[in-house]
Amino acid sequence: MANRDAVSRILPKVVVGGGEVKKKNGLADGRNRRALGDIGNLITGPAVGAKPQTKVSRPITRRSAAQFIAKGQEPVQKNTKKPLVEATKGVAGRKVGVPAKAETIAVICPDEDVKITEEISLNERKVKKSGKTLTSILTARSKAACGLTNKPRIQIDDIDAADVNNHLAAVEYVEDLYKFYKLSEDENRPRDYMDSQPEVSARVRAVLVDWLIEVHKRFELRPESLYLTVNIIDRFLSEERVPRRELQLVCVSSMLIASKYEEIWAPEVEEFLTITVNAYARDQILLMEKAILGKLEWYLTVPTQYVFLVHYIKAAVPSDQEMENMTFFLAELGLMNYTTAISYCPSKLAASAVYAACITLHKSPRWTDTLKHHTGYSEDQLMECAKQLVSFHSGAAESKLKAVYMKFCCPDRGSVALFPAALQEMLI
């Protein structure tokens, strides 16, 4: 306050536009920073004793009036005939006479508490508004690197929510279990053994599996036993050459092993002798059982196709009994075909059976985000295998091997074998 009073006594009062203006900073000659001049502003003011100009590009502030007094009005007299210069940020030296659409906006002077008006073109304002700042660019790159871009959220249903209170379901371990199954399924897959088995062909194997499905149905065994039986047969034939006369013995002994592993009450050896019409003796079945276990090193805990089927059917939306029966029907058709069973891993066969069942039953959508998440396969990855399963379905009624077809023609299986097969065009 003391400095302001001292400056007011030194500088005379000047009337500008009808108001009194006092100089705020003392010793203008030594401390003149020319804040307005630094950004290209030239302000015209009235000469001493003359009438104030009516057209001024901006209101004259107290600082600019003090600068005019200190300089004796020289800038005004020298530039009275020169065109006014627009002060626009980023565009210096634009003349007022140049035709351009502009609008007047209010700007706060950085050194003063006085609003001044500037004429800025609309084009420049659009550039300012639409221009991307460095912060926005870096933020976008960071989000992209971290995977946080604005992608649509994937809806994954909790398929195990209904089994939370079922301690036998082991819901807290399900995800880890199926991750392990996917990692270990290739280690237990049978290799292509047809070249090493001179007396075994794909047709002979299909006849054996067709017969095993009938035996499995007669004994009323669990589905796990059927899939494990076929897995044991294929793995044993991959390691050991078997003559044709012993193929049925291998099948009987493999089902006996699978039944002991999966069933609560496994069939007796005498029951298998009856099934084979006493073609083999009791000791032969027991010796073959021992030979198979020794060749497989007693390793029976393998992820078969059934393990993945039950999990993927739960992920099917909507899932019902008809969907389950159709899936198992297509899966067993694929189990009989040697090329399909050997070429594809169990998880892919199971996922393809679910996908083909969705198409056959006209489910919409055919493949959901939940199924893709739990199976790990997309539609394109399953297309080839699904086409094979659909072709087996279309020819099941005319095939001579009708065990699977007759099994799923029964009303207790929903008679899904009688449903029309999906068109190949629907799989494109």
Side-chain angles (χ1 to χ4, degrees), residues 35-163:
L36 294 177
D38 293 342
I39 60 173
N41 289 281
L42 297 178
I43 304 174
T44 60
V48 178
K51 295 181 179 180
Q53 296 181 357
T54 57
K55 295 182 179 180
V56 182
S57 61
R58 67 176 70 221
I60 300 178
T61 61
R62 289 171 288 183
R63 180 177 294 278
S64 60
Q67 291 175 357
F68 295 153
I69 295 171
K71 295 185 178 182
Q73 308 296 331
E74 292 180 1
V76 178
Q77 296 175 2
K78 291 181 180 180
N79 298 321
T80 53
K81 295 184 180 180
K82 291 184 179 181
L84 295 177
V85 180
E86 258 188 332
T88 57
K89 188 175 182 179
V91 182
R94 183 187 293 275
K95 295 183 180 181
V96 178
V98 178
K101 294 182 180 180
E103 63 176 351
T104 302
I105 61 172
V107 181
I108 302 297
C109 183
D111 294 335
E112 299 172 343
D113 297 330
V114 181
K115 289 185 178 181
I116 59 177
T117 58
E118 290 184 350
E119 292 185 355
I120 300 179
S121 64
L122 294 177
N123 293 332
E124 282 191 66
R125 295 197 68 193
K126 292 179 180 179
V127 171
K128 291 179 182 178
K129 290 181 180 179
S130 62
K132 293 183 178 179
T133 62
L134 181 60
T135 303
S136 64
I137 295 174
L138 293 177
T139 302
R141 290 179 180 178
S142 299
K143 288 182 178 181
C146 299
L148 300 177
T149 53
N150 295 328
K151 295 181 179 179
R153 295 183 61 185
I154 299 176
Q155 184 66 32
I156 305 299
D157 297 331
D158 186 5
I159 62 176
D160 298 311
D163 298 326

Side-chain angles (χ1 to χ4, degrees), residues 327-349:
T327 301
F328 277 108
F329 170 57
L330 295 171
E332 291 188 18
L333 288 176
L335 194 68
M336 288 183 57
N337 187 273
Y338 172 77
T339 304
T340 305
I342 298 297
S343 301
Y344 301 104
C345 61
S347 63
K348 196 167 189 178
L349 271 170

Side-chain angles (χ1 to χ4, degrees), residues 16 31 105 163 175 200 210 225 232 264 352 371 375 384 394 405 416:
V16 181
R31 299 176 61 185
I105 61 172
D163 298 326
E175 185 175 354
V200 181
D210 184 77
S225 300
I232 292 173
I264 298 176
S352 300
L371 280 167
T375 63
E384 182 180 355
S394 60
Y405 180 77
V416 293

Side-chain angles (χ1 to χ4, degrees), residues 3-15 20-29 62-72:
N3 293 335
R4 184 177 295 179
D5 295 339
V7 173
S8 63
R9 288 195 297 269
I10 295 172
L11 295 175
K13 296 181 179 180
V14 181
V15 178
E20 293 183 357
V21 181
K22 294 181 180 180
K23 185 174 181 180
K24 294 173 66 176
N25 299 325
L27 302 177
D29 294 336
R62 289 171 288 183
R63 180 177 294 278
S64 60
Q67 291 175 357
F68 295 153
I69 295 171
K71 295 185 178 182

